[in-house]
Amino acid sequence: GIDHPLDAFVDANGTALVHTSRPDLRPLGRDEIRRVLDVGLCLPCHRDLRDPVMRAWRPGRMPRPCRHAPAAARP
């Protein structure tokens, strides 16, 4: 009766799919997942922390996607 992959802890909306026996362990929430995915848009081109795009990165505020970002990510 499991309707998700066995290695999935959370769905894309941040809904927990499993429970753990450790009280201090939790899956990522929806906003945390979004921030991880936002960073993923930049990493293929901007890998070095000395890169101006990565230096301008602030938690919770993604820089404007560059011309190399997928069209869906650009404003």
Side-chain angles (χ1 to χ4, degrees), residues 8-9 16-27:
F9 282 89
L17 301 173
V18 298
H19 299 283
T20 67
S21 59
R22 291 180 44 195
D24 59 340
L25 185 68
R26 65 171 182 80

Side-chain angles (χ1 to χ4, degrees), residues 3-75:
D3 61 354
H4 59 273
L6 293 177
D7 61 349
F9 282 89
V10 64
D11 69 12
N13 293 316
T15 303
L17 301 173
V18 298
H19 299 283
T20 67
S21 59
R22 291 180 44 195
D24 59 340
L25 185 68
R26 65 171 182 80
L28 296 176
R30 184 179 66 197
D31 292 337
E32 293 167 316
I33 292 170
R34 182 172 179 262
R35 289 195 311 256
V36 168
L37 295 174
D38 286 348
V39 171
L41 291 173
C42 299
L43 289 178
C45 298
H46 306 282
R47 295 179 181 270
D48 192 326
L49 291 177
R50 294 173 296 192
D51 185 306
V53 169
M54 297 314 264
R55 284 196 337 240
W57 192 272
R58 299 292 177 263
R61 187 174 62 88
M62 185 173 113
R64 270 183 91 84
C66 70
R67 61 185 173 90
H68 300 291
R74 286 185 239 142

